[in-house]
Amino acid sequence: MAAGSPDKFSVLLPTYNERENLPLVVWLLARTFQESGNNYEIIIIDDGSPDGTQEIAEQLEKIYGSDKILLRPRARKLGLGTAYIHGMKHATGNFIVIMDADLSHHVSLYFIKQKEGNFDIVSGTRYKGNGGVYGWDLKRKLISRGANFLTQVLLRPGASDLTGSFRLYRKEVLQKLMEKCVSKGYVFQMEMIVRARQLGFTIGEVPISFVDRVYGESKLGGNEIVSFLKGLLTLFATT
Amino acid sequence: ALALAPPGLRLPAPFRQALLPLPVYLLVAFGCYSLATVGYRLATFNDCEEAAVELQEHISAARTDLRQRGLRF
């Protein structure tokens, strides 16, 4: 990175059936970046959503400009990990933001935190400070806290929330981590943080409010829990 | 079987008796700690009311603004 060149943030948004959420997310991101004066781009990686997500994305591209909204779709559902790799190839920023298409609260706090501590990674946490959730019943909270407790005991990751949906990475850091990580799904996010700690990268945390999905259904089911446990044990054994 | 006497060292009987249940004690202690910790964290899990309200406001603002700019939902 040339000395004195300003920061640019590339937001990677993998989408699958996010026709309702996508305009809101893009609008919030665009507004936040405009208000903070940062240079940005939003890379939308749609995996052939049948609900017309790509069509909405095209409209957004017309509204915000093709230098701000980059469409890099794929033919079918190919998974999160490969979506990030695919997105990164087209990212021209020196910082990469990874997030779910259904939440973009308080994005600006991330930039401040990064500047504050010059961190390699800034991660959102629901468990610290005034972070938290909205619309969760007791059972869901219990599962979340229980899973997180298990994760902390087994992996000692140095971050309080491993499966939160919001992260900011330096581009080179993310590239390095993507090379090393092998897991899928939830566990992939966890593995990134564990590997980051191993490689000595610095991680800052920002409290985030996770408001339950406004539109659409949550993708957490019995299968997810089983694969989470399997993944956790694999990470424990291999890292 | 647990090896409580490394070669060359012979612990007197009372020590051995005390040491035997140690793993079980540790397990139970860890179990209690886990329950207490998870319970505490569950009880102090923040509910973000204002965030939810704010989000609803953002959604309306977004829909209005985008419609003005030509987005057909």
Side-chain angles (χ1 to χ4, degrees), chain A:
Chain A
M1 197 173 83
S5 61
D7 294 327
K8 181 173 181 181
F9 295 85
S10 299
V11 183
L12 300 186
L13 271 188
T15 60
Y16 191 73
N17 283 344
E18 298 285 5
R19 188 200 174 87
E20 301 277 357
N21 289 324
L22 189 58
L24 168 67
V25 168
V26 169
W27 186 85
L28 280 173
L29 283 169
R31 198 180 75 153
T32 307
F33 283 116
Q34 273 155 21
E35 279 173 8
S36 63
N38 285 300
N39 197 3
Y40 73 101
E41 63 187 359
I42 302 173
I43 303 174
I44 302 176
I45 305 136
D46 186 50
D47 281 357
S49 300
D51 72 343
T53 304
Q54 182 64 4
E55 197 263 323
I56 284 275
E58 282 162 10
Q59 290 193 54
L60 289 166
E61 184 191 27
K62 285 209 190 67
I63 293 176
Y64 287 101
S66 55
D67 58 323
K68 294 281 183 272
I69 310 280
L70 276 60
L71 303 182
R72 299 289 180 266
R74 303 188 299 178
R76 57 185 206 285
K77 204 156 190 261
L78 291 170
L80 216 52
T82 49
Y84 292 144
I85 296 175
H86 180 74
M88 265 204 296
K89 290 204 192 91
H90 305 283
T92 57
N94 56 329
F95 285 104
I96 312 256
V97 177
I98 293 211
M99 53 184 285
D100 288 349
D102 58 357
L103 168 72
S104 66
H105 246 69
H106 303 147
V107 176
S108 56
L109 283 177
Y110 280 71
F111 313 148
I112 301 169
K113 188 81 184 192
Q114 201 280 329
K115 290 279 177 250
E116 223 179 79
N118 207 24
F119 293 112
D120 297 314
I121 302 176
V122 178
S123 175
T125 173
R126 295 160 291 177
Y127 303 130
K128 267 199 188 157
N130 57 355
V133 296
Y134 178 80
W136 282 26
D137 60 5
L138 206 62
K139 176 175 155 199
R140 192 169 170 194
K141 281 186 183 180
L142 178 62
I143 295 178
S144 179
R145 282 296 199 179
N148 180 256
F149 176 77
L150 213 54
T151 310
Q152 296 291 325
V153 166
L154 287 179
L155 299 180
R156 302 223 154 281
S160 63
D161 191 349
L162 289 203
T163 53
S165 54
F166 219 130
R167 302 229 184 105
L168 167 70
Y169 298 84
R170 278 192 216 279
K171 189 173 182 187
E172 331 78 72
V173 173
L174 184 58
Q175 275 169 335
K176 186 104 197 240
L177 288 174
M178 304 264 354
E179 284 166 28
K180 291 203 162 261
C181 290
V182 295
S183 331
K184 307 249 181 285
Y186 264 93
V187 187
F188 163 74
Q189 301 277 21
M190 291 162 52
E191 192 186 354
M192 300 275 262
I193 293 285
V194 176
R195 298 259 176 238
R197 180 186 41 88
Q198 281 181 335
L199 292 168
F201 294 128
T202 53
I203 303 176
E205 290 198 291
V206 172
I208 53 166
S209 322
F210 189 100
V211 179
D212 205 0
R213 285 200 176 223
V214 182
Y215 301 102
E217 334 90 44
S218 178
K219 297 185 178 106
L220 178 71
N223 269 338
E224 297 262 348
I225 297 183
V226 170
S227 59
F228 165 79
L229 286 172
K230 280 206 305 209
L232 180 59
L233 289 172
T234 312
L235 277 183
F236 174 61
T238 60
T239 60

Side-chain angles (χ1 to χ4, degrees), chain A residues 142 145-146 149, chain B residues 27-45:
Chain A
L142 178 62
R145 282 296 199 179
F149 176 77
Chain B
L27 213 58
V28 172
F30 178 69
C32 292
Y33 164 75
S34 309
L35 279 177
T37 308
V38 174
Y40 170 74
R41 289 177 179 173
L42 179 61
T44 55
F45 210 163

